[in-house]
Amino acid sequence: MESVYYAFMKGFLFSLALCLDLGVVNIAIMKTGLDRGFAAAFRIGFGSCFGDAFYMLLALLGWTAVFHYLAVRWLLWIGGTLVLLWLTYTMVRDTVRPKKFNTDGEPVKGRSAWGDILVGAGLAVSSPTLILSFVAIAGPVVADLDIRQTQVLTAFVAGFVMAGILWSAMIAWLGSRAGRVGSSTMRILSLLSAVLFLAFALNLFWDGLQDLILSS
């Protein structure tokens, strides 16, 4: 029983550490909370959990070596940069034309529920921080766990998923609490988000350029 509890806590803390470092996803959750309320923001965070789970599955199966393949690195480089640039564009658009709130104080509707979940998953999958974290430390994290035991594996995954969901709910709630603000404040927040997304995009592009082109 102690090993099961240890596996759960290890999965929980590992996921929480990743959540604290996932700037791209956290910004998207907060901004969605500002624009469209708690439910939409939580769906973004919930979708990001699927991206986390995808990389965790690769780590548990010992497949993180796939990131060393040239084609995969190119795909992640180009795809991740494009996603971040698209998010930069949407934030600039919201800076110029901030979203309005309905007369009852509720935020306007946006994407469908499934659209929000897919955006969250795409952000997590394209996050260079998440990829590097799993490649570098996921193996050592699970090294002392006997994941061949079903109970141990289940406890680790349950802790990992629970931390991601709780974190998403907290960030979504914080974003939604600040939702009823004036248009000038929305413009400032949107501009700040645009700058941060652009910084992430440029950093990812430069890292990929050095790794895939200049180094060769």
Side-chain angles (χ1 to χ4, degrees), residues 86-118:
W86 174 75
L87 287 168
T88 301
Y89 162 75
T90 62
M91 295 303 103
V92 171
R93 182 190 61 195
D94 289 348
T95 302
V96 177
R97 293 181 298 175
K99 289 183 172 65
K100 305 294 183 181
F101 287 82
N102 299 327
T103 54
D104 58 359
E106 292 298 319
V108 296
K109 293 183 178 180
R111 287 179 296 267
S112 66
W114 282 109
D116 289 330
I117 292 173
L118 289 175

Side-chain angles (χ1 to χ4, degrees), residues 128-202:
T129 303
L130 186 63
I131 295 168
L132 290 174
S133 296
F134 275 103
V135 171
I137 65 177
V141 165
V142 300
D144 63 340
L145 298 176
D146 187 3
I147 58 176
R148 293 171 295 180
Q149 293 186 28
T150 304
Q151 287 183 323
V152 173
L153 177 60
T154 302
F156 180 82
V157 173
F160 185 86
V161 172
M162 183 176 293
I165 292 176
L166 290 176
W167 177 264
S168 298
M170 183 187 71
I171 296 298
W173 182 82
L174 289 174
S176 65
R177 292 303 90 190
R180 292 170 176 79
V181 295
S183 60
S184 59
T185 305
M186 289 296 292
R187 281 195 171 96
I188 293 173
L189 294 172
S190 297
L191 180 60
L192 177 61
S193 297
V195 171
L196 291 173
F197 278 129
L198 181 60
F200 280 118
L202 293 175

Side-chain angles (χ1 to χ4, degrees), residues 7 9 16 24 34 37 61 70 127 133 150 156 163 178 183 200 202:
M9 290 306 301
L16 188 60
V24 175
L34 286 169
L61 295 175
L70 187 61
S127 171
S133 296
T150 304
F156 180 82
S183 60
F200 280 118
L202 293 175

Side-chain angles (χ1 to χ4, degrees), residues 77 81 200-212 214:
W77 176 42
T81 302
F200 280 118
L202 293 175
N203 181 69
L204 176 58
F205 179 79
W206 177 248
D207 287 345
L209 187 67
Q210 288 184 308
D211 180 43
L212 298 172
L214 297 182

